[in-house]
Amino acid sequence: METKIVKASNKSIAEAANLIKKGELVAFPTETVYGLGANAFDENAVAKIFEAKGRPQDNPLIVHLSSYKDVEKVAKDIPDAFYALAKKFMPGPLTVVLSKGDSVPYRVTAGGETVAVRVPKKKWARKLIASSMPLAAPSANKSKHISPTTAKHTYDDLNGLIPMVLDGGPCEVGIESTVLDLTADTPTILRPGYVTEDMLLKVLHSVVTFSGKIKIAKSPGMKYTHYAPKVYTVVAKTRESMLAEYDRAVSEGKNPVMILRTADEKVVKERHHVFLGKKPSDVSKNIYAAMLAAEKVFDEIIIENFGEKGLLGSVMNRVEKSAGHKEV
Ligand code: AMP
Ligand code: MG
């Protein structure tokens, strides 16, 4: 199959909407990462997502809506908390887990009775959904690889496997959405993201962040390691250990690179490095693009520890998974 990259426009959105209605896949831009979408109500179309990505069947997809007002089309027994969250965070990088509506095939939810719902902020995503169907979509990468934040990243992974990539420019947020489970007794963050616990606490009385081993069937997606670059990747606890690891790698004949927020040039010296930026939102926006560029050129990636708080903590959640929890 030939894969074309097309600039998002009213014309290309109409073409993409036709593909979706015919049961085909379209990769589309959102503010978090690029998504690989199919008609959420069409089981055969949804099956193609798993095939193209090489994704395990028990990893559920997120249903993307053009407005939170459509939530009843895909979920039931919707609590008031959903509407309170929707007012503040939708459209935006927040995914909410609700009770599954009967219209949603189990293939979308990996057999579970819950469905994850999100309203993306990027206007092209909402236009595509509004002119076709609610879209079941994971990130538009090969399973286990890093999520794409440009149309080109998407093409690099899925060329030949899908008919169309809509190019809406780079993603502004740069990491996957926050996933919040509203079917738990206390609203529970299953995956940290741009919308942090503190932000959610402005709307909800209590929020907990899930930590620990997955036993429950309703969040099967969490057991998979995502986000890994193709080369050896480690997290450095400190600047010193980062430099030491770099020098060790070089002494072993490797070609490493350091990824860090900012630093004095004296610190990094002639060592290969990528600066993500000082602002947490720049770190989030640039992290995947930096890893995807680095894996093409270098054979070891050493990433600075950005800390545990807020958005940087969410970025760190992804980085730790990328590194398979290897620390130096
Ligand atoms: P991706 O963003 O590519 O990782 O794909 C969607 C992710 O959303 C899954 O891997 C899960 O982490 C999460 N998700 C989707 N549906 C559910 C659900 N019903 N319950 C919990 N998490 C979910
Ligand atoms: Mg993914």
Side-chain angles (χ1 to χ4, degrees), residues 88-264:
K88 195 152 169 77
F89 298 111
M90 294 184 180
L94 176 68
T95 296
V96 176
V97 175
L98 299 166
S99 296
K100 184 182 99 64
D102 299 334
S103 57
V104 178
Y106 281 107
R107 206 180 276 275
V108 171
T109 65
E113 294 300 335
T114 62
V115 63
V117 177
R118 171 167 122 75
V119 181
K121 189 151 196 166
K122 252 221 207 293
K123 80 169 179 192
W124 296 120
R126 275 181 289 131
K127 276 204 167 182
L128 172 61
I129 298 162
S131 43
S132 60
M133 294 301 240
L135 295 180
S139 53
N141 50 279
K142 274 289 203 181
S143 186
K144 301 209 166 84
H145 196 211
I146 301 162
S147 298
T149 59
T150 65
K152 177 68 168 60
H153 295 157
T154 307
Y155 182 85
D156 285 348
D157 259 25
L158 298 178
N159 180 21
L161 298 170
I162 60 171
M164 188 179 196
V165 180
L166 276 173
D167 184 354
C171 303
E172 294 81 5
V173 170
I175 60 168
E176 301 82 355
S177 58
T178 304
V179 178
L180 179 73
D181 186 359
L182 279 190
T183 69
D185 290 340
T186 304
T188 305
I189 295 175
L190 303 177
R191 177 171 78 182
Y194 189 85
V195 177
T196 59
E197 201 173 278
D198 285 348
M199 288 159 76
L200 292 168
L201 280 170
K202 298 213 162 93
V203 179
L204 303 171
H205 294 299
S206 52
V207 178
V208 293
T209 296
F210 180 87
S211 57
K213 287 231 155 57
I214 307 300
K215 286 191 217 82
I216 35 176
K218 83 174 163 221
S219 51
M222 295 162 65
K223 76 180 186 216
Y224 290 104
T225 306
H226 291 74
Y227 329 116
K230 290 175 180 160
V231 298
Y232 185 75
T233 302
V234 291
V235 177
K237 272 186 272 191
T238 63
R239 278 275 155 93
E240 290 71 39
S241 69
M242 177 173 236
L243 300 177
E245 175 66 13
Y246 186 101
D247 295 343
R248 186 202 55 72
V250 170
S251 74
E252 288 172 7
K254 289 175 86 182
N255 186 23
V257 63
M258 306 184 289
I259 297 181
L260 56 173
R261 284 175 78 183
T262 55
D264 202 310

Side-chain angles (χ1 to χ4, degrees), residues 280-325:
S281 58
D282 286 336
V283 176
S284 162
K285 184 173 179 203
N286 297 326
I287 184 72
Y288 286 162
M291 288 198 275
L292 286 164
E295 70 177 11
K296 288 193 174 169
V297 180
F298 300 98
D299 52 21
E300 176 169 340
I301 302 175
I302 310 160
I303 309 179
E304 168 172 60
N305 184 354
F306 305 124
E308 287 168 11
K309 281 204 215 109
L311 178 55
L312 288 174
S314 300
V315 176
M316 224 34 225
N317 166 276
R318 307 299 195 281
V319 167
E320 275 164 7
K321 288 183 181 176
S322 302
H325 300 276

